[in-house]
Amino acid sequence: MSPKRGDDVPPPPVGTEWRLRFGTTEAAKGWGELCAEASGNARRCFEALRANPLSTGDPDRQHRLRGRLAARVFGGVELPQWEYEVTAGGRVRYVVDEAARVVHLVYASPRHPKDTEA
């Protein structure tokens, strides 16, 4: 069965790793496309988000979004929205629920999201 909104991104977390979940069905589909097109980079993204989704160590690759995209209401709660640059065009956007230690993938695609274009 294809993954959908609310499903965990496999495999399950171990120890202090963060849980990754698909926040939208579109993100689940896009994650599959991203993995097919850039498996090595998608794996690095997966490992980075599992280890520390709030890392500011490589701001060109992983950063909190700004302006109108800085936060997103998810499950009735406003959460900070971040982005991970998987490839030159491919992106993963996610919101972070620190209290639950869950990262919800809300956008994943080998194509750049159009909402940042001026």
Side-chain angles (χ1 to χ4, degrees), residues 100-114:
R101 289 187 59 83
V102 176
V103 175
H104 299 277
L105 306 186
V106 295
Y107 177 87
S109 176
R111 289 162 296 288
H112 196 284
K114 300 214 180 284

Side-chain angles (χ1 to χ4, degrees), residues 41-90:
N41 286 358
R43 178 60 186 228
R44 282 186 280 285
C45 171
F46 175 85
E47 290 172 356
L49 298 186
R50 272 282 161 90
N52 184 2
L54 304 171
S55 175
T56 56
D58 186 1
D60 290 335
R61 174 109 20 217
Q62 181 179 5
H63 57 275
R64 182 162 179 196
L65 293 172
R66 294 179 284 194
R68 64 183 171 76
L69 299 173
R72 180 180 182 131
V73 175
F74 188 85
V77 178
E78 188 173 283
L79 298 172
Q81 183 167 233
W82 288 65
E83 184 172 83
Y84 190 98
E85 181 180 322
V86 180
T87 65

